Amino acid sequence: MDFLSRAVSKLGYDCVYKVLASPFTYNSSPGIIPQELLDKDVNLGLADFYHDRSLSNQFEMISSAEPEPEAIVINLFHESSPLFINRTQKYIFFIDPKAWTYHPDLEEWMKAGFGMIQVNPSTYMKRYEEMLKNIREKFPLVPILVVSRLSHFPAFGPEPYSYLEGWNDLWKYSGAIFNRWENNISDLNVVDMDRVFSGIWASSEKKIEAHCPFLKFKLAEENNVVTGIHASRDIEHVGSMWPVLAAKITDFIENGKICYSANEVKPDEWNHPWQPEKYSEEELLKMLASGANYLCASAIGKFFVNLEKDYTTLLVRTAEYTPVCHNTLHMIKTYGRIWRNPDLSQWCQAHRKNVIAFTANGPLYTEDYLQRLDEVEKYALGEI
C-alpha cells in the first residue's frame, strides 16, 4: 500500500499512507490513544519500536485533527505480532518487545498490566468486517475501498505465498464475504486484485516471475546439511500492479465507481501448473548487474531451478549492484546454505557497504539487515 500511495500521489492526488497493525487494535480502541500508553510513548521515545504502526495509526487511524478524507482505501493487511492486551481497559496494541531491552521500566509496566494475545487466522475476515463497520460509524459519508489480495492460482507457483496468515484457505471463499460487505456496509466497494492483475498479464510478459520474483524458503537440515527444501512465491510485491491500481482508485474518486476493461478477466492459463525455466549464465549476469531489484531477485530465483550447479561466482561478480532488500537477502541466505561456498563472504563484504549507505528505512531496519548479513557470511566461512 506504500507503493500504491506513491503511485496515487504521482497522479496528482493528496494521499496519506498509514501502516496498520491489526483489526484488533482499532476494534478495541476507545477512540483516542489511551493516556497511560501515550505518556510512555512520549516520555520514552518509542516511535522506532512500532515499525511505522504508530499509536495514532493503531487507535485512531484518522485523527480528529486531520481533515476528513475523500475516500479511505484499505487492503487486507497482514497482522503484526506480538499483540498486547491491557488487562483492565482491554485495549490492544502492537509494539516490538525489543523496546524492553532499551527500557526495562517499560517491560516491568507491561508485564504487570498486559497479557499477550495470539490471533486466530480463521477469524480474520470477521474481525476485519467489524473494523470496517467501526470505520463506517466514524466516517458515515466517506467511501471505503477495500483492496483484495491475489488468489492462489497454480500458475503463481511454485506455491503462492501470502503474508496474511491463513489467506491460503480464506481466498477460496472470500468472494462471498466481499459481496456481503458491499451489500451490508454503505458505500463500500471491493477492488478485485485478480481482475486488475488479469489486465496487466494480458498486456505484458505472461510469466509470474516477471511480476513476482521473490521466493520464500523453508529448509530441512541435519547437522548443517540441507536435506529438503520447500519454496513458495511471494505474490504481494507485484511491481507492475501499482500504477494500474492507482488509476483504478483515482477513476473511482472522479466517477464514483470501480470499472474493469474487457481484458481484465482471469485467464484460463492461471489454472495451469507453473513451469520453471532455466537461463544462461550470460542472461543471469545481465540481470544481476542491472541494479534493478526485481531483475536481480528473478535471476537469483533461477539459481534454484538448477541446484546441481553453484552460481555463487555470479553473485560475487555483481556484488556492488545487489539492491538492499530483505526478500532478496532471504533468497541469497537460503542459497548459501544449500551451496556452502566461502566465496559468498566476498559478496557479503561488498553488500555491507550498500546496506550502511541505505538509510531510508531507519536504524532498526539497518541493524536487523546487518545481523542477517553477518549470519550469511559466518555460515559461508564455516564459523557457524
Side-chain angles (χ1 to χ4, degrees):
M1 297 301 279
D2 183 18
F3 295 117
L4 176 59
S5 70
R6 297 180 198 182
V8 169
S9 296
K10 284 184 179 179
L11 294 176
Y13 292 79
D14 291 333
C15 183
V16 178
Y17 167 61
K18 297 176 181 254
V19 189
L20 308 182
S22 166
F24 266 135
T25 67
Y26 193 71
N27 293 343
S28 69
S29 171
I32 59 172
I33 304 171
Q35 189 61 49
E36 59 176 355
L37 183 58
L38 182 60
D39 290 342
K40 292 290 183 184
D41 179 61
V42 172
N43 295 334
L44 299 177
L46 301 176
D48 286 341
F49 299 102
Y50 304 121
H51 302 309
D52 294 327
R53 293 147 180 83
S54 67
L55 292 183
S56 176
N57 291 354
Q58 294 191 48
F59 288 96
E60 298 175 307
M61 198 177 297
I62 303 169
S63 72
S64 56
E66 298 174 89
E68 185 167 279
E70 287 186 73
I72 296 171
V73 182
I74 185 170
N75 71 328
L76 298 178
F77 60 93
H78 65 274
E79 296 185 270
S80 301
S81 180
L83 294 170
F84 298 94
I85 182 169
N86 182 275
R87 292 193 179 96
T88 56
Q89 300 178 55
K90 303 303 180 185
Y91 64 80
I92 298 169
F93 82 110
F94 161 78
I95 191 170
D96 189 333
K98 284 184 180 178
W100 295 352
T101 302
Y102 297 87
H103 304 289
D105 53 334
L106 177 69
E107 178 182 14
E108 183 179 351
W109 176 70
M110 288 187 64
K111 286 186 174 180
F114 293 80
M116 191 179 294
I117 62 173
Q118 181 71 39
V119 299
N120 181 353
S122 67
T123 62
Y124 175 83
M125 300 295 262
K126 180 179 179 181
R127 289 182 278 112
Y128 194 95
E129 182 173 348
E130 181 184 348
M131 181 186 67
L132 291 174
K133 290 178 178 178
N134 288 332
I135 294 173
R136 171 54 67 230
E137 183 176 347
K138 184 176 180 180
F139 299 98
L141 301 178
V142 178
I144 300 173
L145 295 177
V146 177
V147 178
S148 68
R149 287 173 173 258
L150 286 179
S151 300
H152 288 188
F153 292 99
F156 297 169
E159 180 181 291
Y161 175 87
S162 172
Y163 288 85
L164 174 59
E165 189 177 1
W167 181 247
N168 191 46
D169 293 319
L170 293 173
W171 74 267
K172 299 170 187 175
Y173 55 87
S174 61
I177 295 175
F178 295 153
N179 288 336
R180 185 175 75 240
W181 292 354
E182 290 183 319
N183 291 332
N184 295 346
I185 301 175
S186 64
D187 208 358
L188 181 145
N189 291 268
V190 176
V191 183
D192 189 333
M193 288 282 274
D194 288 341
R195 295 196 63 178
V196 176
F197 191 42
S198 297
I200 296 170
W201 185 276
S203 60
S204 62
E205 190 174 3
K206 297 175 177 58
K207 297 177 182 177
I208 192 62
E209 293 91 336
H211 308 277
C212 307
F214 301 118
L215 297 174
K216 313 288 285 187
F217 294 97
K218 291 182 179 179
L219 298 179
E221 298 180 82
E222 292 181 11
N223 299 320
N224 280 335
V225 176
V226 175
T227 58
I229 180 171
H230 178 269
S232 54
R233 183 174 304 282
D234 174 351
I235 59 168
E236 297 194 359
H237 294 88
V238 192
S240 55
M241 178 73 78
W242 314 122
V244 179
L245 187 56
K248 280 274 188 283
I249 302 299
T250 55
D251 283 347
F252 177 88
I253 299 297
E254 298 298 330
N255 303 313
K257 60 180 180 179
I258 297 292
C259 298
Y260 300 98
S261 62
N263 67 343
E264 290 179 317
V265 177
K266 287 170 274 190
D268 291 337
E269 65 209 61
W270 282 1
N271 294 309
H272 300 160
W274 171 71
Q275 298 294 331
E277 292 183 325
K278 294 182 179 180
Y279 283 14
S280 69
E281 287 195 14
E282 183 179 350
E283 291 173 308
L284 293 173
L285 272 173
K286 185 177 180 179
M287 295 166 73
L288 290 168
S290 69
N293 197 16
Y294 275 44
L295 281 176
C296 180
S298 184
I300 295 167
K302 296 302 179 187
F303 293 179
F304 294 89
V305 175
N306 182 17
L307 287 176
E308 296 179 357
K309 180 176 176 61
D310 183 3
Y311 291 99
T312 302
T313 183
L314 302 187
L315 276 176
V316 175
R317 288 172 60 183
T318 58
E320 63 183 297
Y321 304 107
T322 307
V324 177
C325 172
H326 266 300
N327 293 313
T328 303
L329 180 63
H330 167 75
M331 295 169 69
I332 293 173
K333 180 179 180 180
T334 302
Y335 195 72
R337 296 195 77 84
I338 295 171
W339 282 96
R340 190 167 190 163
N341 188 331
D343 289 348
L344 188 59
S345 65
Q346 299 175 42
W347 174 85
C348 293
Q349 292 163 19
H351 190 57
R352 191 172 282 107
K353 298 177 183 177
N354 294 347
V355 178
I356 294 171
F358 181 82
T359 59
N361 290 348
L364 288 181
Y365 178 94
T366 302
E367 178 186 343
D368 180 59
Y369 198 108
L370 289 173
Q371 286 178 354
R372 298 187 191 195
L373 188 59
D374 288 344
E375 291 175 8
V376 175
E377 184 172 17
K378 289 178 181 178
Y379 188 84
L381 294 173
E383 296 177 3
I384 57 174

